[in-house]
């Protein structure tokens, strides 16, 4: 069980918190490159409880900085993006994207101290259509994480952001809680309605899978396994990767190059950020699941209806179905068995249950079951790493040695029974499609 103290340590991410410090050891996906227009208006951005702006200058360089002007604190969100920097509209001070003060026009040349003052700017790089930001204290930023997906050419990477209105931990834990699939998402589907080779066949044939779980160099891993006919086993592998990433089994293992980030915007809001290989066999690339007679399975659509983005701190990538309209729940569909949950899509079903827990779940309220071992283990791994950083200054997994992420993969497959789960994983990975090993982008 998770104590009240552990719950607070795990869920709070602001500056100075235990988990906030851990998160700041890593590069964080902040926004889509397309959200910041060259020479255009700044974007309000909340990350780890800090109010920031992102802006692209007229030379195309992206900056992510504290929104407050270091003169008297007016918001640089209001600023003028002009000629190589952002100019505060209050007294005209101007900063480049690295925070350097370029101009202090309300002060006489003799008293000008622009060389002594700077806006607080974080290091930012662009990769896979995303602006990544490093909010840590190291003089030299680490490389980007060594994910396989970042070996893929940018043009072959799909990226999607969706805001979730709850703490990052309960959102993330939906991804490593594999036994919910046969209920929340597929409770209305029977195995005999599906083709035998359908990816979800085994998950509904046996709804209480057995598990293997272990700590790994990148975080934690699990394998859900079920008997799949004589001498065969159905495997579903998934991972947690430091500090807020997952890989889920919703794709053919041999081609499933994907990561899912649960980026804390603040303690009560999270940005889901998924990156996937468009050429691989992932749920993101496949048509909507169907029964063997060809009819679409209810509640498994992949469409997301977004509200228009606004300039608010928390106004980006919000879904139209949300707590205010009960996630557009259809009680008739729930009752007649068309959709077990009554909620329209897999993502929205996950969104509804985790948001319904409230902004931050009271973890002392839970009654964790044997099916929750992956959750318990992942919390422990996060806590231990955050405390080791706080108490001994030990860098957390993958913060320096970013290569630990390279062999992490999630996905499903059926294999001959009899081998150990980790051997089975290694063998499947050895035969899997892998994007060419590229050179990691050097951090500035
Ligand atoms: S507050 Fe920004 S220039 Fe004065
Ligand atoms: Fe789910």
């Amino acid at each position: 069980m998770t104590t009240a103290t552990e719950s607070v340590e795990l869920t709070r991410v602001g500056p100075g918190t235990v988990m906030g410090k851990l998160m700041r050891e890593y590069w964080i996906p902040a926004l889509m490159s397309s959200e910041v227009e060259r020479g255009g208006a700044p974007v309000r951005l909340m990350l780890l409880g800090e109010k920031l702006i992102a802006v692209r200058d007229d030379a195309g360089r992206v900056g992510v900085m504290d929104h407050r002007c270091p003169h008297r604190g007016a918001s640089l969100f209001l600023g003028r993006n002009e000629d190589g920097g952002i100019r505060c509209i209050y007294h005209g001070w101007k900063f480049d994207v690295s925070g350097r003060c370029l101009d202090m026009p309300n002060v006489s040349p003799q008293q000008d101290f622009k060389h002594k003052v700077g806006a607080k700017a974080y290091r930012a790089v662009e990769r896979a259509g995303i602006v990544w930001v490093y909010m840590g204290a190291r003089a030299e930023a680490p490389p980007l994480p060594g994910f396989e997906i970042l070996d893929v050419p940018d043009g072959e990477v799909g990226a999607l952001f969706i805001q979730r209105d709850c703490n990052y931990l309960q959102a993330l834990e939906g991804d490593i809680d594999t036994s919910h699939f046969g209920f929340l998402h597929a409770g209305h589907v029977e195995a005999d309605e599906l083709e035998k080779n359908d990816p979800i066949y085994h998950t509904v044939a046996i709804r209480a899978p057995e598990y293997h779980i272990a700590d790994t160099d990148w975080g934690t891993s699990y394998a859900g396994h079920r008997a799949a006919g004589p001498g065969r086993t159905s495997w579903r592998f998934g991972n947690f990767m430091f500090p807020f990433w997952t890989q889920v089994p919703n794709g053919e293992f041999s081609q499933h190059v994907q990561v899912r980030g649960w980026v804390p915007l603040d303690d009560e809001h999270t940005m889901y950020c998924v990156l996937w290989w468009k050429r691989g066999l992932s749920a993101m690339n496949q048509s909507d699941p169907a029964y063997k007679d060809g009819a679409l399975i209810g509640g498994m659509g992949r469409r997301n209806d977004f509200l228009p983005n606004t300039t608010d701190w928390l106004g980006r990538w919000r879904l139209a179905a949300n707590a205010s309209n009960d996630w557009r729940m259809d009680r008739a569909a729930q009752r007649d068995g068309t959709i077990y949950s009554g909620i329209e899509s897999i993502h929205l079903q996950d969104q509804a249950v985790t948001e319904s827990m409230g902004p931050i779940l009271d973890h002392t309220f839970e009654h964790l079951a044997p099916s929750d071992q992956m959750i318990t283990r992942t919390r422990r791994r996060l806590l231990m790493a955050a405390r080791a950083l706080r108490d001994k200054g030990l860098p957390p997994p993958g913060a320096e040695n970013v290569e630990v992420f390279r062999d992490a993969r999630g996905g499903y497959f059926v294999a001959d029974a009899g081998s150990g789960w980790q051997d089975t994983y290694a063998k499947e990975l050895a035969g899997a499609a892998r994007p060419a090993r590229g050179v990691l982008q050097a951090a500035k």
Side-chain angles (χ1 to χ4, degrees):
M1 90 158 237
T2 299
T3 67
T5 307
E6 289 169 342
S7 184
V8 169
E9 287 187 3
L10 279 164
T11 54
R12 282 15 180 224
V13 296
T17 60
V18 188
M19 201 53 66
K21 283 192 174 150
L22 177 126
M23 301 267 179
R24 285 167 174 79
E25 290 286 304
Y26 301 87
W27 284 94
I28 297 170
L31 72 169
M32 302 268 196
S33 290
S34 57
E35 289 184 69
V36 268
E37 213 180 302
R38 182 189 281 242
V43 174
R44 283 201 185 95
L45 182 67
M46 181 82 88
L47 269 187
L48 303 183
E50 296 186 33
K51 287 180 172 170
L52 309 172
I53 56 158
V55 64
R56 190 185 295 280
D57 69 16
D58 49 12
R61 296 172 305 175
V62 172
V64 175
M65 58 181 86
D66 190 322
H67 86 107
R68 294 166 302 177
C69 171
H71 175 215
R72 292 193 51 238
S75 182
L76 290 170
F77 169 75
L78 303 173
R80 301 166 58 91
N81 188 352
E82 56 180 42
D83 196 18
I86 179 104
R87 192 183 290 282
C88 180
I89 60 170
Y90 204 177
H91 312 92
W93 293 18
K94 181 176 163 186
F95 306 91
D96 71 11
V97 292
S98 70
R100 200 156 54 100
C101 184
L102 303 175
D103 197 12
M104 200 175 265
N106 69 328
V107 175
S108 68
Q110 310 86 288
Q111 294 172 314
D112 184 315
F113 61 106
K114 66 171 174 278
H115 302 296
K116 296 204 182 120
V117 63
K120 182 179 178 186
Y122 292 123
R123 279 159 283 193
V125 297
E126 290 183 81
R127 186 70 178 274
I130 303 264
V131 179
W132 301 72
V133 56
Y134 174 70
M135 297 170 70
R138 291 165 188 259
E140 201 174 323
L144 287 172
F147 298 146
E148 275 190 295
I149 188 68
L150 295 183
D151 286 343
V152 172
D154 280 5
E156 293 181 15
V157 182
L160 175 71
F161 279 47
I162 302 177
Q163 184 173 302
R164 187 167 294 187
D165 294 342
C166 68
N167 184 257
Y168 83 96
L169 189 68
Q170 68 209 54
L172 180 154
E173 286 174 349
D175 277 359
I176 55 173
D177 166 10
T178 193
S179 76
H180 79 259
F181 193 91
F183 300 89
L184 177 68
H185 304 311
H188 52 296
V189 183
E190 296 301 330
D192 61 8
E193 299 172 297
L194 301 171
E195 297 286 0
K196 284 228 163 41
N197 64 354
D198 190 287
I200 66 172
Y201 177 88
H202 298 290
T203 60
V204 296
I206 300 175
R207 291 183 208 259
E210 293 185 81
Y211 304 96
H212 296 293
I213 292 163
D215 287 357
T216 48
D217 290 345
W218 57 71
T220 50
S221 294
Y222 76 84
H225 61 103
R226 298 158 162 99
R232 303 280 282 169
T233 302
S234 152
W235 293 98
R236 290 169 64 84
F237 281 88
N239 298 304
F240 156 75
M241 299 183 293
F242 275 94
F244 47 56
W245 299 92
T246 63
Q247 290 175 318
V248 294
N250 68 340
E252 171 68 49
F253 184 94
S254 64
Q255 303 183 32
H256 196 216
V257 180
Q258 186 206 52
V259 289
R260 295 158 62 101
W262 296 96
V263 179
L265 302 183
D266 60 17
D267 291 345
E268 299 184 353
H269 300 86
T270 301
M271 190 64 82
Y272 165 66
C273 160
V274 56
L275 301 176
W276 72 97
W277 190 19
K278 290 193 210 160
R279 283 170 48 198
L281 255 188
S282 146
M284 304 300 286
N285 300 331
Q286 288 167 317
S287 50
D288 291 349
Y291 292 109
K292 66 183 174 192
D293 67 3
L296 289 181
I297 302 177
M300 292 205 181
R302 300 211 172 89
R303 210 187 64 194
N304 295 301
D305 288 337
F306 287 93
L307 295 172
N309 280 359
T310 72
T311 59
D312 293 347
W313 297 112
L314 298 165
R316 302 164 43 244
W317 310 117
R318 297 157 309 145
L319 293 182
N322 53 49
S324 75
N325 50 27
D326 294 330
W327 300 274
R328 293 181 171 163
M329 170 170 274
D330 178 346
R331 289 285 180 187
Q334 189 185 57
R335 236 185 342 262
D336 69 19
T338 324
I339 303 176
Y340 181 85
S341 64
I343 295 169
E344 184 47 44
S345 73
I346 289 189
H347 184 88
L348 195 55
Q349 290 154 11
D350 288 322
Q351 187 109 338
V353 292
T354 52
E355 289 182 348
S356 76
M357 296 170 183
I360 307 181
L361 173 63
D362 171 6
H363 294 97
T364 63
F365 172 85
E366 299 170 310
H367 296 82
L368 296 178
S371 55
D372 298 312
Q373 288 168 61
M374 177 67 177
I375 286 175
T376 314
R377 189 147 195 152
T378 299
R379 287 184 193 169
R380 185 128 309 273
R381 190 103 166 89
L382 265 169
L383 263 183
M384 292 299 114
R387 288 176 180 171
L389 174 67
R390 177 192 64 190
D391 300 336
K392 301 187 195 131
L394 285 177
E400 288 179 351
N401 180 11
V402 299
E403 288 299 314
V404 298
F405 299 113
R406 182 87 43 182
D407 287 341
R409 180 81 73 102
Y412 56 75
F413 59 90
V414 176
D416 286 339
S419 303
W421 70 289
Q422 282 152 322
D423 288 347
T424 303
Y425 178 90
K427 191 168 157 218
E428 201 69 17
L429 186 65
R434 306 205 70 172
R437 292 195 170 214
V439 177
L440 289 176
Q441 172 153 343
K444 284 189 281 187

